[in-house]
């Protein structure tokens, strides 16, 4: 699943468990969806699950809106998340640098319709922020939200 087009290979993190650790420390995932001849990017809370080196990201939102419309129109999406930002000062402008950890990737995106799968996905999402994974969800709450699944086909991680 690693991206072979990374320019700065010296900054690449390839250890799968380290990549997941960085992901777990990110607060927001930016989801990129095709919008005609443009791209719609939206920051979202997320959860994730791995199974035999297969990675799935989960998001939630209102059942209607631009994000949902775009997902229904095109099943391919990209994502980005980053953390650990720090400016490295220098004597000259071009010698300044920026420290970070980042993850980018793409995959097949869909809206989860099955209620049991929806609840499982929401547990992953909540666990990512609370470390608790036994939340209860009322049926009327579940009807108000869309739960989105991104099955990752390619991803990479960098650190500087």
């Amino acid at each position: 699943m690693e991206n072979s087009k990374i320019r700065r290979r010296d900054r690449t993190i390839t250890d799968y468990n380290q990549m997941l650790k960085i992901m777990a420390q990110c607060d927001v995932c930016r989801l990129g969806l095709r919008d005609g001849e443009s791209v719609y990017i939206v920051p979202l809370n997320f959860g994730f699950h791995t199974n035999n080196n297969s990675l799935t990201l989960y998001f939630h939102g209102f059942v209607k809106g631009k994000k949902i419309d775009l997902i229904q129109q095109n099943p391919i999406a990209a994502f980005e998340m980053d953390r650990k930002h720090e400016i490295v000062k220098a004597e000259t402008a071009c010698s300044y640098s920026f420290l970070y950890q980042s993850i980018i990737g793409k995959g097949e995106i869909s809206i989860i319709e099955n209620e049991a799968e929806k609840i499982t996905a929401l547990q992953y999402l909540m666990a990512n922020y609370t470390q608790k994974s036994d939340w209860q969800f009322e049926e009327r709450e579940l009807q108000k939200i869309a739960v989105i699944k991104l099955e990752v086909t390619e991803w990479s991680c960098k650190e500087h």
Side-chain angles (χ1 to χ4, degrees), residues 14-26:
T14 57
D15 178 86
Y16 187 75
N17 290 324
Q18 179 66 17
M19 293 169 72
L20 292 174
K21 183 178 178 183
I22 291 168
M23 181 176 286
Q25 294 170 343
C26 291

Side-chain angles (χ1 to χ4, degrees), residues 29-117:
C29 181
R30 291 161 198 84
L31 190 60
L33 304 166
R34 172 166 244 152
D35 184 8
E37 295 299 314
S38 185
V39 177
Y40 178 71
I41 299 173
V42 60
L44 298 167
N45 296 113
F46 71 99
F48 65 93
H49 177 70
T50 63
N51 185 15
N52 295 327
N53 289 338
S54 173
L55 174 65
T56 305
L57 301 178
Y58 297 101
F59 311 95
H60 75 299
F62 192 62
V63 293
K64 294 181 182 180
K66 185 170 188 164
K67 172 177 64 226
I68 300 303
D69 293 343
L70 294 175
I71 290 168
Q72 291 171 334
Q73 292 169 23
N74 189 335
I76 304 300
F79 67 94
E80 185 277 342
M81 54 186 84
D82 53 74
R83 66 177 297 277
K84 213 172 181 180
H85 306 135
E86 183 181 339
I87 292 176
V88 178
K89 296 179 181 180
E91 293 300 317
T92 62
C94 290
S95 294
Y96 265 68
S97 190
F98 192 73
L99 304 180
Y100 62 89
Q101 291 177 327
S102 68
I103 297 173
I104 62 170
K106 65 182 179 180
E108 297 179 18
I109 196 162
S110 61
I111 298 165
I112 297 174
E113 302 295 340
N114 177 282
E115 186 174 304
E117 186 180 1

Side-chain angles (χ1 to χ4, degrees), residues 58-59 110-123 137 139 142-143 145-149:
Y58 297 101
F59 311 95
S110 61
I111 298 165
I112 297 174
E113 302 295 340
N114 177 282
E115 186 174 304
E117 186 180 1
K118 204 173 184 180
I119 291 169
T120 299
L122 289 170
Q123 297 291 2
F137 300 96
E139 191 170 329
L142 291 173
Q143 293 173 357
I145 61 170
V147 179
I148 300 159
K149 172 171 63 174

